[in-house]
């Protein structure tokens, strides 16, 4: 199991930001970010504020990935 933690903004900002991407042991894990990013990037339904937070956290090269 992987975990991507977000932090909500203030009510006036109405946005979420990604704080960290950790594994079950609480260690930073780049695979957590990658899998979360891929899921959010290729989302074809309704995008959520969580998807936006993940996509804004870091630019990931999408070459070689497809849905």
């Amino acid at each position: 199991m992987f975990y991507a933690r977000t932090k909500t903004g203030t009510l006036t900002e109405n946005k979420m930001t990604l704080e960290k991407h950790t594994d079950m042991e609480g260690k930073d894990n780049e695979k957590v970010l990658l899998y979360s990013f891929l899921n959010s990037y290729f989302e074809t339904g309704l995008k959520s504020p969580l998807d936006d937070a993940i996509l804004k956290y870091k630019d990931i090269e999408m070459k070689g990935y497809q849905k």
Side-chain angles (χ1 to χ4, degrees), residues 23-45:
D23 60 21
M24 288 183 50
E25 297 174 356
K27 296 177 185 172
D28 282 345
N29 187 317
E30 289 299 312
K31 284 186 179 181
V32 171
L33 178 60
L34 175 62
Y35 297 151
S36 299
F37 191 93
L38 290 173
N39 183 69
S40 295
Y41 184 85
F42 289 114
E43 173 64 56
T44 55

Side-chain angles (χ1 to χ4, degrees), residues 8-9 15 22 25-27 34 42 46 49 56 60-61 64-65:
T8 57
K15 67 178 182 176
T22 60
E25 297 174 356
K27 296 177 185 172
L34 175 62
F42 289 114
L46 296 174
K56 289 177 184 175
I60 294 181
E61 176 62 49
Y65 295 104

